[in-house]
Amino acid sequence: MENDKKNTTCCCSCSCSSSGILPQNIVHYIEECMQKPHSESYLIQVLHKVQSHFGYLTPEYLQEVGQRMNISSSKIMGVATFYNLFSFTPRGKYRISVCLGTACYVKGSGKLLDQFKEILKIKENETTPDGMFSLECSRCFGACALAPVVVVNDKVYGDVKAEQVEKILAEYGFKK
Amino acid sequence: MPTALEKLQDMRRKAIFRVFENKFRSPIRITVGSATCENAAGATEVYERLQQNIAKHPGMEVMLSRVGCAGRCDLEPMVTVVMHGQIPIKYMRVTPEKVDKIFEEHILHHKVLEDFTMRRSASLYNAQRVVTVCGGKQCFEKHAFDIEKAFLENIQRLGLQDKIILTRSACQGLCQYGPVAYIYPDNVMYQKLTIEMVQQICEEHLLKNHTLGQYTWKGERLANRSFPFFGDVYFFGKQLRLTLRNCGVIDPESIDEYLAVRGYEAIAKILTQLKPQDVINMVKKSGLRGRGGGGFPTGNKWQFAADQVNSQKYMICNADEGDPGAFMDRSTIEGDPHTIIEGLMIAGYAIGANKGFVYIRAEYPLAVQRLEKGIKEAKEIGVLGNNILGSGWNFDIEIRLGAGAFVCGEETALIHSIEGSRGMPTQRPPYPAIAGLWGKPTVINNVETLANLPVIILDGEDWFSSIGTEKSKGTKVFALAGKVANTGLVEVPMGTTLREVVFDVGGGIKNNKAFKAVQTGGPAGGCLTTEYLDTPVDYDSLTAAGSIMGSGGMIVMDEETCMVDVAKFFLDFTQSESCGKCTPCREGTRAMLAILKKITEGKGEDGDMEKLQELGSIIKNASLCGLGQCAPNPVLTTLKYFAHEYKAHIYDKKCPAGVCSALVSYTIDPQKCVGCTACKRKCPVHCITGDPKKPHEINQEVCIKCGTCQAVCKFNAITKS
């Protein structure tokens, strides 16, 4: 993201007491949404933007979103915890996602997941201590014809075989 | 004042001019498939390499463009080369290295690289013409095979067998004109054929190149559009592509190309000629039923909303394709986003809504991007937004992203998610058609349902209802995946049998293994066995067999799939996706899953099957929404059809398919092991011991049963039991 600088005061011209940890582009997006009818319906979109900027969500970010969107923190927390795509833990530089959709599962993606766990020595939804790799399970990328599928950040690997696991990790600089 | 239709026709003429200027006048056209799966298979690199090759030959007129997914996913990336006046050649599994060769041999020296082409297309390249006789059910009843025989005899009698290729297609959707035959590349369709006509056609058309105008079918069907592009390939020739009519044919990011293929003509037509009630009546008469799974008649759903007196109504497109193993909606949006926009507008006009939403999964970034671009361009040229085509009618579309919750496919949950809340279902009635989004009358239609609408409006409700079975009209798209040879997206007329889909279109089971079951309907559906292979694919027949149509995921399983494990997989999915609102679903699925886990771990006991049965029927009857009501289906159908597998797990402590790792073990036969150390080196947990050139041994306590050792052993010394 282009805007990494943290604002110490509220960056919109409103009089809110927010400390302004959200980047300017998201603040502007929220302001735009607030002009439209049913502004609360943009909450999920806003959370997506916050997560893609910071990599994960924290109560502080959610609180600021709540203040700016005029939605209670409890409701935002409820929404953020309901949906699988929102994460509250920092994720690794390389996010490995093993698809456990039906087509991938019958083609053995469960075994691939075991292998990733074994090699990285972490469980699902965990990150390696050096912060390089995190492991997630996904419920279908819609690339079923290439099953089994593994996605690292945005790169899709199709027809992955057990012996390829180490090779894929090596591409991202993993050393045993 | 020109009418909306006249305005649109003018836009279309200009679009065709622009497209033709650019594209079709070029003597060489190259298209590269470009959807999520194609890009994953390397289509982006292939496209770049083609660009580089073209740049090396500055004087050459080559038009390179991207098209959506053609559906033949296991052969991706696909590249189609059309040299002026010749049959398109489709190359499969193209790599940047292959691109160089294709460019050198085919583009520069007009030599087709047969080894890289999809089945049959290379032999067609050398033929002058291809005659395709429709082999659909209704044409067959009208003696289509006598016609086929007559073609064969006449072709041989006239000595044309080296120049003409005779093929057979699936239903072409021209049933009332059957038997029909299509002549390629002349693009001529002969209708209501008799033996005498065939003789004349062979003598005049095939021998002397005179088209017999009096026998040809002169209509223009949207549905038959993809046939000239793909009909020569067996996989496609067996299909009837209605909703996928533009996928793989046009550039999804070009509104001009969509306009050129009669895009937005349906909405222009209804704005000019039809009242909302006329549109509803047309859709009712067409027999279109919801493609999202439920199969509720679309026209009736619209009628409920249309009958509500309310100044604000909403139209929602459900593109939250949550079923694992289903990717029809993603491909449709990625390959033809404007069809969804137009479908949403038609539905909005019918029910009296001025605002539409597309609720789409955040996991589909490319689909979102193409849809956003489509909406923007449609607004720019005035087919969307205010005063559409000068008709005074307004319609606006917004996109809303999901965030990974399967339950949001349920109508009321989806509405709550759009509203920005937790996506939890609420009790119906009131149905969304009465009180939906923000309490206003709302209709939610699935992507595929909407994609059918322009076809119904332009090709007519009577024609649409001539396809399919008595109660299920039109076609259905299936995402064929699992252990089947040809994985991909297929669209077949309703009433096609499962056998035809799996074995004819799908090419049968991979690696000659035995077919075990086909799973339809995703986590809400069921598994059907060999005995049910001749079940026609329609809403009612699949329900009667114990499964459901669902949204269209079709996963094929072979002898190496453990049905108990599959049932556990689905229940694990629904259990973790259960929103937790109602007790039967929240607690019941958990209890069922615990029993299934126990069984697959070899701790099953007498009475477990009965408990599963009882819990299943309670959850089915007592859950609040569709998720819970269907969650036990995979378990109940496997209990019914694969009871012997459950029994083997519970009583014999064996997994017949060798999948449940607690019930299998790998052992090394010391007689066969030569001590090559391959397994020892590859074992991920280092549980194999032994010196080189001496028999090795597996430490069963450490072994994770991954099967790597068996896969790498060249001496068949490792057995699974």
Side-chain angles (χ1 to χ4, degrees), chain B residues 389-404:
Chain B
L389 294 165
S391 66
W393 186 64
N394 308 329
F395 195 75
D396 188 29
I397 296 178
E398 274 190 48
I399 296 175
R400 284 291 193 277
L401 294 184

Side-chain angles (χ1 to χ4, degrees), chain B residues 384-536:
Chain B
L384 183 66
N386 289 334
N387 191 17
I388 292 167
L389 294 165
S391 66
W393 186 64
N394 308 329
F395 195 75
D396 188 29
I397 296 178
E398 274 190 48
I399 296 175
R400 284 291 193 277
L401 294 184
F406 177 64
V407 71
C408 289
E410 205 279 339
E411 292 195 338
T412 54
L414 188 152
I415 286 173
H416 294 309
S417 186
I418 291 186
E419 288 171 348
S421 307
R422 287 163 74 91
M424 284 175 148
T426 36
Q427 181 78 43
R428 296 184 299 180
Y431 286 91
I434 315 290
L437 192 61
W438 295 301
K440 307 290 182 195
T442 305
V443 168
I444 301 173
N445 282 147
N446 163 272
V447 169
E448 198 186 329
T449 315
L450 295 176
N452 274 303
L453 297 175
V455 182
I456 294 174
I457 302 292
L458 291 183
D459 287 349
E461 68 276 26
D462 294 327
W463 169 74
F464 187 85
S465 66
S466 72
I467 302 164
T469 61
E470 197 196 334
K471 286 183 178 160
S472 305
K473 302 296 187 190
T475 58
K476 181 78 195 87
V477 183
F478 288 101
L480 202 54
K483 309 271 182 93
V484 66
N486 308 339
T487 52
L489 269 201
V490 302
E491 181 169 354
V492 290
M494 296 271 190
T496 308
T497 63
L498 285 171
R499 187 186 300 279
E500 285 172 289
V501 177
V502 175
F503 288 89
D504 290 351
V505 183
I509 310 298
K510 241 179 177 168
N511 306 328
N512 289 325
K513 295 258 166 63
F515 170 87
K516 189 183 228 171
V518 54
Q519 208 276 348
T520 65
C527 299
L528 299 175
T529 54
T530 323
E531 295 99 83
Y532 289 87
L533 270 178
D534 291 311
T535 309

Side-chain angles (χ1 to χ4, degrees), chain B residues 109-169:
Chain B
H109 296 103
H110 302 256
K111 195 173 157 279
V112 178
L113 291 143
E114 284 204 38
D115 293 349
F116 300 165
T117 58
M118 285 178 73
R119 186 152 72 119
R120 287 185 21 185
S121 49
S123 60
L124 295 182
Y125 187 75
N126 301 320
Q128 263 180 7
R129 282 198 179 91
V130 184
V131 178
T132 305
V133 180
C134 177
K137 210 166 268 166
Q138 295 197 38
C139 284
F140 176 75
E141 281 163 9
K142 291 175 189 159
H143 311 289
F145 294 147
D146 290 341
I147 298 295
E148 194 182 71
K149 214 173 120 206
F151 265 113
L152 190 68
E153 284 166 5
N154 278 295
I155 288 168
Q156 282 173 346
R157 181 172 61 83
L158 298 168
L160 293 169
Q161 57 269 41
D162 295 335
K163 293 174 185 161
I164 311 282
I165 289 181
L166 189 62
T167 64
R168 188 192 296 169
S169 75

Side-chain angles (χ1 to χ4, degrees), chain A residues 41-42 48 78 83 100 142 145, chain B residues 73 330 398 400 402 417 421-422:
Chain A
S41 75
Y42 294 90
H48 273 301
Y83 295 96
L100 290 185
Chain B
C73 309
R330 175 182 65 71
E398 274 190 48
R400 284 291 193 277
S417 186
S421 307
R422 287 163 74 91

Side-chain angles (χ1 to χ4, degrees), chain B residues 221-241:
Chain B
R221 280 275 150 77
L222 294 181
N224 301 104
R225 180 180 305 147
S226 63
F227 194 76
F229 285 86
F230 300 114
D232 54 331
V233 175
Y234 198 64
F235 174 78
F236 295 105
K238 279 275 172 184
Q239 303 182 40
L240 174 61
R241 291 163 77 91

Side-chain angles (χ1 to χ4, degrees), chain B residues 344-652:
Chain B
L344 203 54
M345 291 166 75
I346 294 168
Y349 179 80
I351 66 160
N354 291 106
K355 178 99 187 174
F357 288 95
V358 181
Y359 184 81
I360 185 167
R361 297 180 82 198
E363 289 94 328
Y364 290 172
L366 186 62
V368 175
Q369 182 199 321
R370 288 192 173 155
L371 202 56
E372 276 171 349
K373 188 165 187 239
I375 291 172
K376 189 170 156 268
E377 288 182 347
K379 280 184 183 166
E380 277 166 12
I381 65 161
V383 292
L384 183 66
N386 289 334
N387 191 17
I388 292 167
L389 294 165
S391 66
W393 186 64
N394 308 329
F395 195 75
D396 188 29
I397 296 178
E398 274 190 48
I399 296 175
R400 284 291 193 277
L401 294 184
F406 177 64
V407 71
C408 289
E410 205 279 339
E411 292 195 338
T412 54
L414 188 152
I415 286 173
H416 294 309
S417 186
I418 291 186
E419 288 171 348
S421 307
R422 287 163 74 91
M424 284 175 148
T426 36
Q427 181 78 43
R428 296 184 299 180
Y431 286 91
I434 315 290
L437 192 61
W438 295 301
K440 307 290 182 195
T442 305
V443 168
I444 301 173
N445 282 147
N446 163 272
V447 169
E448 198 186 329
T449 315
L450 295 176
N452 274 303
L453 297 175
V455 182
I456 294 174
I457 302 292
L458 291 183
D459 287 349
E461 68 276 26
D462 294 327
W463 169 74
F464 187 85
S465 66
S466 72
I467 302 164
T469 61
E470 197 196 334
K471 286 183 178 160
S472 305
K473 302 296 187 190
T475 58
K476 181 78 195 87
V477 183
F478 288 101
L480 202 54
K483 309 271 182 93
V484 66
N486 308 339
T487 52
L489 269 201
V490 302
E491 181 169 354
V492 290
M494 296 271 190
T496 308
T497 63
L498 285 171
R499 187 186 300 279
E500 285 172 289
V501 177
V502 175
F503 288 89
D504 290 351
V505 183
I509 310 298
K510 241 179 177 168
N511 306 328
N512 289 325
K513 295 258 166 63
F515 170 87
K516 189 183 228 171
V518 54
Q519 208 276 348
T520 65
C527 299
L528 299 175
T529 54
T530 323
E531 295 99 83
Y532 289 87
L533 270 178
D534 291 311
T535 309
V537 174
D538 63 55
Y539 293 99
D540 311 290
S541 308
L542 284 176
T543 310
S547 186
I548 60 163
M549 174 80 91
S551 59
M554 195 180 266
I555 315 269
V556 179
M557 297 166 188
D558 68 1
E559 55 192 305
E560 288 181 347
T561 316
C562 168
M563 300 315 288
V564 184
D565 183 60
V566 167
K568 186 185 82 176
F569 164 79
F570 279 119
L571 209 66
D572 186 37
F573 178 84
T574 37
Q575 196 273 321
S576 66
E577 292 294 337
S578 169
C579 78
K581 187 168 182 174
C582 72
T583 317
C585 175
R586 183 185 66 237
E587 302 299 329
T589 51
R590 188 177 287 266
M592 279 180 90
L593 183 62
I595 297 174
L596 283 171
K597 276 194 176 147
K598 209 173 74 176
I599 295 174
T600 54
E601 281 162 9
K603 296 171 193 155
E605 46 196 324
D606 197 28
D608 278 350
M609 287 169 73
E610 290 73 17
K611 268 188 214 155
L612 284 174
Q613 191 83 45
E614 197 191 342
L615 274 166
S617 65
I618 294 172
I619 297 168
K620 248 178 118 104
N621 292 323
S623 292
L624 175 63
C625 80
L627 188 143
Q629 286 158 12
C630 296
N633 282 355
V635 183
L636 295 177
T637 52
T638 46
L639 272 174
K640 189 169 160 196
Y641 299 125
F642 298 95
H644 55 280
E645 285 198 27
Y646 280 88
K647 285 179 186 153
H649 282 75
I650 296 171
Y651 301 105
D652 310 336

